[in-house]
Amino acid sequence: HPLSTPFDIRNMANTRGFAAVTDRLAELGISLGDVAKCFGVRRETVSRWRREGGAYPPPDNWRRMLAELAESRSGQLHSYAEELRHN
């Protein structure tokens, strides 16, 4: 159906971007369950955020939250790599 307002268009772009980012995170080993935990919601909620249409968009701060999740995981992996090198 046609979009009626700029808000709808922004939400659709936001939802598509969220899906693409979470797809990429999944490729890197960060699951939708991890994403859900990061936001303090159930996995089903994350799945709704990923759907096209913008009817149920992710929170406005999703990019910052997912960046922090990725950085945290990166730090954990780096620390583990160092531990492996020195043991």
Side-chain angles (χ1 to χ4, degrees), residues 1-30:
H1 69 67
L3 299 173
S4 57
T5 68
F7 179 77
D8 293 336
I9 294 167
R10 188 188 74 217
N11 280 345
M12 283 188 71
N14 201 27
T15 300
R16 286 189 186 125
F18 182 81
V21 169
T22 54
D23 285 346
R24 181 66 179 130
L25 289 174
E27 291 170 3
L28 298 170
I30 298 175

Side-chain angles (χ1 to χ4, degrees), residues 8-86:
D8 293 336
I9 294 167
R10 188 188 74 217
N11 280 345
M12 283 188 71
N14 201 27
T15 300
R16 286 189 186 125
F18 182 81
V21 169
T22 54
D23 285 346
R24 181 66 179 130
L25 289 174
E27 291 170 3
L28 298 170
I30 298 175
S31 71
L32 291 182
D34 296 329
V35 171
K37 187 175 180 181
C38 170
F39 285 97
V41 300
R42 294 176 18 177
R43 190 187 179 287
E44 293 79 13
T45 301
V46 173
S47 293
R48 276 200 261 163
W49 292 342
R50 290 173 41 82
R51 289 191 193 123
E52 300 286 328
Y56 196 73
D60 289 339
N61 66 343
W62 70 265
R63 288 183 187 275
R64 180 183 57 79
M65 296 288 291
L66 293 182
E68 290 174 6
L69 175 61
E71 287 172 345
S72 169
R73 189 63 54 92
S74 168
Q76 292 168 358
L77 290 171
H78 179 74
S79 294
Y80 188 60
E82 288 299 311
E83 182 180 321
L84 290 172
R85 282 191 190 99
H86 298 291

